[in-house]
């Protein structure tokens, strides 16, 4: 077990390291580290050129993990993701050639540009933590973390991820455009030739694995669990929602809350943790009624209304 003080130091160093390369995305970095600690995955949806690829590379280098990037294109096959058996004329046998998914950190770039069949190959591996090729099951390495990026759906030539597949991601995040001050800092960084190669590891994968185990020991009181269930129930009965959050979403939020508490330096969870993470964990898991869009409501605004009208638990 890693001492609590060392955990806090390393996690803050991890965030600082990412912040030096990807300027102005501290909250996205915090939430991504929460997902990593909770053994979940992240979907980043944003326009091209805002630093998504640089962000994932910086995260991988900072934890000294193996990293692979998969560029999803319309002609990408499932075997290009998982790997395949290749025949060798030399010894007249088939040899397994591992795909890029068999690594620690995977950047699935522009996942919505590939066919649903290829998307499913990645998302099934995320859910099962293994791949099955030619009847043989191969375990994925630990830690295993996927950060998928997608362009907004109104971009030409995209395949929208179905709700059942979106449910595989712990968080759906948006990086957004930088502020004027942040963009000036980016330009200054280019002048100073600050690159991804300048990132130095602040921990190793073994230390990260221990932190992931520590997350499971973070205490979640029954009142917090009841609060999560009350919020989830509201998504299933809300007048503006046609599809509510599944039990998988409840479990995902609880794990995320535990990881967030650890990042905050606590060994217990509080209602504020749930409120802070609910939007990021639930917005992609609900489906709004068609008429709701015409009323100017979004998934985020509906979730905020649920938080406001759900009583906050008080420990007696």
């Amino acid at each position: 077990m890693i001492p609590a003080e060392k955990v806090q130091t390393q996690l803050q160093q991890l965030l600082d390291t990412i912040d030096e390369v990807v300027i102005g995305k501290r909250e996205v970095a915090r939430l991504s580290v929460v997902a990593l600690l909770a053994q979940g995955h992240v979907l980043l949806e944003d326009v091209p050129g805002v630093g998504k690829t640089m962000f994932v590379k910086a995260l991988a280098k900072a934890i000294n993990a193996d990293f692979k990037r998969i560029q999803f294109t319309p002609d990408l096959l499932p075997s290009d993701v998982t790997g395949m058996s290749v025949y060798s004329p030399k010894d007249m046998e088939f040899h397994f050639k591992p795909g890029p998914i068999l690594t620690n950190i995977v950047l699935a770039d522009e996942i919505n540009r590939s066919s649903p069949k290829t998307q499913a190959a990645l998302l099934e591996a995320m859910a099962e933590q293994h791949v099955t090729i030619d009847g043989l099951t191969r375990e994925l390495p630990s830690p295993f973390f996927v950060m998928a990026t997608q362009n907004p759906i109104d971009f030409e030539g995209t395949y929208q991820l179905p709700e059942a597949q979106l449910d595989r991601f712990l968080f759906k995040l948006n990086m957004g455009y930088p502020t004027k001050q942040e963009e000036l800092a980016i330009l200054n960084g280019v002048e100073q030739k600050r690159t991804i190669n300048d990132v130095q590891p602040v921990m190793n994968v073994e230390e990260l694995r221990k932190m992931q185990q520590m997350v499971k020991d973070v205490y979640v009181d029954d009142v917090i669990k009841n609060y999560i269930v009350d919020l989830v129930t509201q998504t299933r009965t809300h007048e503006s929602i046609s599809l509510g959050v599944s039990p998988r979403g409840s479990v995902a939020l609880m794990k995320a809350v535990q990881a967030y508490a650890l990042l905050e330096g606590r060994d217990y969870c509080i209602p504020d943790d749930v409120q802070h993470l609910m939007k990021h964990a639930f917005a992609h898991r609900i489906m709004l009624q068609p008429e709701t869009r015409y009323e100017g409501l979004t998934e985020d605004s509906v979730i905020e209304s649920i938080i406001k009208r759900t009583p906050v638990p008080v420990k007696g």
Side-chain angles (χ1 to χ4, degrees):
M1 189 70 68
I2 307 174
E5 297 79 8
K6 185 178 180 182
V7 170
Q8 288 307 300
T9 299
Q10 287 184 308
L11 289 176
Q12 291 307 312
Q13 287 176 340
L14 175 59
L15 293 172
D16 291 341
T17 299
I18 296 172
D19 210 25
E20 289 176 2
V21 179
V22 187
I23 297 168
K25 305 302 176 188
R26 184 80 174 195
E27 185 60 18
V28 174
R30 282 169 56 82
L31 292 169
S32 299
V33 170
V34 167
L36 181 61
L37 291 171
Q39 300 182 57
H41 308 283
V42 171
L43 177 63
L44 277 175
E45 182 179 76
D46 231 316
V47 295
V50 293
K52 299 187 293 290
T53 302
M54 180 76 77
F55 176 84
V56 187
K57 286 182 177 179
L59 177 62
K61 287 204 70 174
I63 62 175
N64 202 24
D66 292 333
F67 168 79
K68 294 286 177 63
R69 176 179 179 270
I70 309 173
Q71 179 63 55
F72 279 71
T73 56
D75 60 347
L76 192 73
L77 300 175
S79 58
D80 295 328
V81 174
T82 60
M84 66 184 80
S85 294
V86 179
Y87 181 74
S88 172
K90 185 176 181 180
D91 53 14
M92 294 184 292
E93 290 184 356
F94 283 92
H95 297 276
F96 177 65
K97 181 181 178 182
I101 200 172
L102 293 167
T103 192
N104 295 125
I105 307 290
V106 178
L107 170 59
D109 214 359
E110 297 185 314
I111 186 175
N112 58 333
R113 289 202 178 277
S114 195
S115 68
K117 187 174 183 180
T118 304
Q119 291 175 2
L122 171 70
L123 295 167
E124 286 173 12
M126 289 164 48
E128 302 297 332
Q129 298 293 305
H130 64 250
V131 293
T132 301
I133 303 162
D134 297 333
L136 295 176
T137 299
R138 300 177 188 274
E139 296 295 326
L140 295 173
S142 175
F144 175 67
F145 177 67
V146 173
M147 184 168 281
T149 72
Q150 69 173 9
N151 292 330
I153 299 304
D154 58 348
F155 275 33
E156 186 177 353
T158 60
Y159 299 83
Q160 185 171 2
L161 291 173
E163 282 69 26
Q165 303 288 33
L166 284 171
D167 204 32
R168 306 292 184 186
F169 292 97
L170 177 57
F171 293 146
K172 181 181 177 183
L173 307 176
N174 297 87
M175 296 190 73
Y177 288 116
T179 64
K180 180 178 180 179
Q181 290 72 23
E182 290 166 352
E183 195 148 3
L184 285 170
I186 292 170
L187 297 181
N188 290 330
V190 172
E191 275 189 339
Q192 297 162 11
K193 296 182 172 57
R194 184 170 54 199
T195 68
I196 192 68
N197 295 325
D198 298 323
V199 175
Q200 297 299 317
V202 299
M203 67 176 73
N204 56 47
V205 292
E206 181 58 35
E207 289 172 319
L208 177 60
R209 278 194 289 266
K210 290 178 180 178
M211 291 180 189
Q212 289 176 332
Q213 290 302 312
M214 291 174 69
V215 166
K216 299 176 182 179
D217 295 329
V218 173
Y219 177 65
V220 186
D221 195 272
D222 285 343
V223 297
I224 300 295
K225 294 176 183 176
N226 277 296
Y227 186 42
I228 291 174
V229 173
D230 288 343
L231 291 167
V232 169
T233 302
Q234 288 270 8
T235 69
R236 299 169 186 167
T237 58
H238 197 282
E239 62 277 5
S240 298
I241 299 176
S242 61
L243 176 67
V245 174
S246 68
R248 180 190 291 157
S250 306
V251 174
L253 179 57
M254 189 181 76
K255 289 181 178 179
V257 165
Q258 288 176 290
Y260 186 76
L262 182 69
L263 182 63
E264 290 289 293
R266 288 183 270 105
D267 60 358
Y268 59 91
C269 303
I270 60 176
D272 284 353
D273 300 337
V274 179
Q275 294 176 358
H276 184 73
L277 298 178
M278 182 179 170
K279 178 179 69 175
H280 306 293
F282 283 179
H284 61 291
R285 288 185 162 93
I286 64 173
M287 184 184 296
L288 300 184
Q289 298 283 5
E291 62 272 15
T292 302
R293 298 288 184 186
Y294 297 107
E295 298 170 4
L297 297 177
T298 63
E299 289 85 356
D300 288 354
S301 62
V302 170
I303 288 174
E304 287 171 4
S305 71
I306 289 175
I307 293 174
K308 288 178 180 178
R309 74 186 197 183
T310 305
V312 179
V314 178
K315 183 71 173 177

